[in-house]
Amino acid sequence: MNKNNSDNRQKVLIIGFFIIAAVIVIICFLLNNELKELETPEINEPEITAAASYTEDSEEVTEYTETAEVTEVSEITEVTEPVTSAAETSAAVDPSRIVWEDDVSEVSFSDVILDKTIEENKTFQTDLSQFAGEGDIIDSFRFVFHAEDGISPLGEVKGGFGISVDNSCEARTDDIWYQTPDDFTLQAEGSTCEAEWIIPDEIKEYITVSGGQVLFGYWWSNSDRVVLDKIICTHKNMKILPDETTSSN
């Protein structure tokens, strides 16, 4: 009887030993895993977005691209200084410093012949830049001419004038052009004549000197052909006087 009880206690002790050993192994395993998780740093994987596409075999393929955070950069705006126009510059000048000086320009010719019997030879045009500068105010032209033979009296002379103007000119008679609506008529005393054209006030500020032209037309006289000797132009130049408030040491 005592022998049986002794055997039973040994069995119980052996079973208890194995149970305790198993618990210790499980606890060690759990602690080891916990330590590994604490030692391994967390790695943030980039967010993956899928973009569906297809191949020639019609098999659906998904392309993956990494989405990265983008920091916006402020747009750089180019800064330019304001440009002052010539008109604004003139307006900014003290009017008391602006003066207009009268000037006369003369251009002579040697081979300009006008013929009243041939339509294309009745007029002559020449560049305005020979007489004035851009911004000048043109007041008048005088056209001096004589009978081709130098002796025949011209008698009653008729003709016309024209000049280039800006299209903003309300008085223009054609695109970029002004033609006198009425012919001039004058009486020549001999074989030489001088026809003067006073520029109308309504077109003075619109005359385009740069690239523009002035026209002289010869319609009638006792001589079929006349020779243009010269053109005389009276105009005004704008001058800006020195600023008296500015002095040099």
Side-chain angles (χ1 to χ4, degrees):
M1 181 72 178
N2 291 332
K3 184 178 178 180
N4 290 334
N5 290 336
S6 176
D7 291 336
N8 290 333
R9 283 196 299 270
Q10 288 179 355
K11 290 179 180 180
V12 170
L13 290 174
I14 292 171
I15 293 171
F17 173 79
F18 281 111
I19 292 173
I20 293 171
V23 170
I24 291 173
V25 170
I26 292 171
I27 291 173
C28 290
F29 178 79
L30 293 175
L31 288 175
N32 184 55
N33 288 341
E34 189 70 24
L35 290 175
K36 286 183 178 181
E37 290 180 1
L38 292 175
E39 292 175 357
T40 304
E42 183 179 358
I43 299 175
N44 293 325
E45 294 293 334
E47 183 182 353
I48 306 297
T49 57
S53 63
Y54 62 91
T55 64
E56 294 179 354
D57 296 330
S58 299
E59 295 181 358
E60 185 175 348
V61 178
T62 303
E63 296 180 355
Y64 294 93
T65 56
E66 295 186 1
T67 302
E69 183 179 357
V70 179
T71 303
E72 286 191 12
V73 179
S74 298
E75 182 180 358
I76 299 175
T77 304
E78 182 179 358
V79 179
T80 57
E81 295 183 359
V83 178
T84 304
S85 67
E88 291 172 336
T89 301
S90 298
V93 176
D94 184 353
S96 64
R97 293 173 53 208
I98 298 177
V99 295
W100 292 93
E101 293 184 353
D102 292 330
D103 198 2
V104 178
S105 301
E106 180 178 314
V107 177
S108 298
F109 305 92
S110 60
D111 56 355
V112 176
I113 298 176
L114 292 92
D115 191 331
K116 71 178 185 181
T117 65
I118 303 176
E119 189 65 30
E120 58 269 25
N121 292 342
K122 287 183 177 182
T123 60
F124 170 73
Q125 292 179 233
T126 189
D127 294 339
L128 282 170
S129 58
Q130 300 175 94
F131 306 96
E134 196 67 38
D136 289 358
I137 297 177
I138 297 177
D139 293 318
S140 68
F141 288 98
R142 283 183 291 157
F143 302 87
V144 181
F145 53 97
H146 66 269
E148 185 183 28
D149 61 11
I151 57 174
S152 299
L154 295 175
E156 186 179 62
V157 181
K158 293 184 179 182
F161 310 109
I163 199 166
S164 298
V165 295
D166 187 86
N167 267 340
S168 60
C169 178
E170 295 182 358
R172 73 184 188 280
T173 56
D174 202 350
D175 287 342
I176 64 171
W177 190 254
Y178 173 83
Q179 188 90 18
T180 50
D182 300 318
D183 297 341
F184 70 81
T185 302
L186 52 86
Q187 190 70 32
E189 297 298 331
S191 62
T192 300
C193 186
E194 182 176 306
E196 183 176 26
W197 181 29
I198 305 298
I199 303 298
D201 290 336
E202 62 266 27
I203 71 168
K204 281 186 177 181
E205 63 178 295
Y206 300 101
I207 293 174
T208 52
V209 174
S210 179
Q213 293 190 318
V214 61
L215 173 145
F216 174 65
Y218 172 63
W219 314 147
W220 180 262
S221 83
N222 291 335
S223 176
D224 288 343
R225 293 156 62 95
V226 296
V227 178
L228 181 63
D229 298 311
K230 58 186 174 182
I231 301 176
I232 303 167
C233 173
T234 59
H235 56 97
K236 293 182 177 69
N237 300 319
M238 186 181 73
K239 303 292 184 182
I240 299 178
L241 299 175
D243 188 354
E244 296 180 355
T245 61
T246 304
S247 61
S248 58
N249 296 328

